[in-house]
Amino acid sequence: MSESPPTTPVCYRHPGRETYVRCSRCDRPICPDCMREASVGHQCPECVNEGRRSVRPARTAFGGGTAGRHGYVTKALIALNVLLMLLSIASDRGGDAAVGGSGFGGLMGGSTPLTNWGSVLGLAVFPDGTLGGVADGEWYRLVTAMFLHYGVIHLLLNMWALWVLGRSLEANLGPLRFGALYLIAGLGGNVAAYLFSAQNSATAGASTAVFGLFAALIIIERKLGQDISQVIPILVINLVFTLTVPGISIPGHLGGLVVGGAMALVLAYAPRGRRTLVQVAGGAIILLILLGLVLFRTAQLLAG
């Protein structure tokens, strides 16, 4: 009885193609179209996909994605602030809001219709006789104010600080955690301005969030064992600047510093095993506290 001749293996995905190459993982024959380079030999598409699903994505020391090293959120925040500055200037038919107005060297340039609409304002009667402000239901001001500025110098100072601080923090925290830090710090500063400023005093600027980033950088760098000796003097200079230059919102800056620092502590010291859960819960608790303070101040103003 004669033996049957050996058959040539065919690709398991393309039965009409003969091949002598096998997947180094599952040992099935694969043709050139199905070959995927591997550390040893070639793998089939299914094994490659299975391997990708089993590999955990790289994370920063605080649980964030490594895409933060590109600084996408920092760049997007700067772009948004610049865009709103341009819209603010365009809304001012007088044209003096960019460099004019009161304050140190034009730092607190003139207000515009856009800053009047979006700045933190407790409760005030407008020239047309209407009532407005956070206490009147315009809660959006607590968010919009962190993206509006009184003059180009005011904008440039804040954007320079955001560029320097933001890239480092975003690389260490990841895009989502850095974005949350920025927004919560900015909101905290605006809530403090609402609490402790005169009810008819308007405030705006990204400095509420920027001061939070200063506090966060010190906490994050300290947690990583980095030298913070160069950061503290810059923060002290900014605090002196805040306390001595007329027209700057002291509650806004200090509020952003405190709330940004609190959020940074949550992000930096959340236990590794339940890191994301603790970070989300911590951020939610901070937001609830801020909400309670807003409700308290609103009731106070309406009662007065």
Side-chain angles (χ1 to χ4, degrees):
M1 184 176 178
S2 61
E3 297 182 359
S4 58
T7 58
T8 303
V10 295
C11 177
Y12 83 96
R13 299 179 77 237
H14 303 98
R17 300 181 185 178
E18 297 180 350
T19 180
Y20 287 95
V21 178
R22 292 180 176 272
C23 173
S24 59
R25 186 170 181 177
C26 67
D27 202 40
R28 289 181 291 187
I30 49 177
C31 68
D33 289 341
C34 298
M35 295 177 188
R36 302 292 185 268
E37 291 285 345
S39 56
V40 178
H42 297 83
Q43 291 184 7
C44 66
E46 291 181 12
C47 287
V48 170
N49 292 334
E50 181 65 27
R52 288 173 179 169
R53 285 193 293 268
S54 63
V55 175
R56 298 181 62 182
R59 293 287 177 183
T60 69
F62 306 100
T66 56
R69 64 180 181 272
H70 299 295
Y72 293 136
V73 175
T74 301
K75 295 172 184 176
L77 289 171
I78 292 174
L80 179 58
N81 278 274
V82 171
L83 173 62
L84 288 176
M85 183 74 248
L86 294 175
L87 292 175
S88 182
I89 294 172
S91 72
D92 181 41
R93 295 182 180 180
D96 62 348
V99 294
S102 62
F104 183 78
L107 173 65
M108 308 301 287
S111 62
T112 71
L114 187 60
T115 57
N116 291 338
W117 168 82
S119 59
V120 175
L121 180 68
L123 191 66
V125 178
F126 295 120
D128 60 1
T130 61
L131 192 67
V134 178
D136 192 49
E138 297 173 346
W139 285 41
Y140 66 86
R141 291 175 176 271
L142 297 172
V143 176
T144 55
M146 74 178 82
F147 299 104
L148 296 172
H149 292 84
Y150 293 118
V152 171
I153 296 177
H154 187 200
L155 171 75
L156 292 177
L157 288 174
N158 281 332
M159 292 305 98
W160 174 80
L162 174 55
W163 177 249
V164 173
L165 300 171
R167 288 179 300 163
S168 176
L169 284 168
E170 188 176 352
N172 285 321
L173 295 174
L176 291 179
R177 286 165 175 79
F178 170 70
L181 168 67
Y182 182 92
L183 293 175
I184 290 175
L187 179 63
N190 288 339
V191 170
Y194 179 46
L195 283 171
F196 300 109
S197 299
Q199 69 178 52
N200 60 347
S201 174
T203 63
S207 47
T208 53
V210 167
F211 266 78
L213 298 187
F214 267 116
L217 184 66
I218 292 173
I219 292 169
I220 295 299
E221 293 292 314
R222 182 68 176 173
K223 175 65 175 177
L224 293 173
Q226 303 294 324
D227 180 20
I228 59 173
S229 60
Q230 295 181 344
V231 181
I232 294 179
I234 298 176
L235 175 59
V236 171
I237 291 172
N238 277 273
L239 286 173
V240 172
F241 192 75
T242 296
L243 297 172
T244 56
V245 175
I248 291 180
S249 174
I250 297 175
H253 286 194
L254 297 183
L257 183 75
V258 171
V259 175
M263 188 62 205
L265 287 171
V266 171
L267 294 172
Y269 291 94
R272 187 180 184 87
R274 296 176 295 172
R275 183 163 48 198
T276 300
L277 176 62
V278 172
Q279 289 171 341
V280 172
I285 291 172
I286 292 173
L287 289 175
L288 286 175
I289 293 173
L290 294 177
L291 174 62
L293 293 173
V294 172
L295 291 173
F296 169 78
R297 178 59 170 166
T298 298
Q300 187 182 53
L301 291 178
L302 293 179

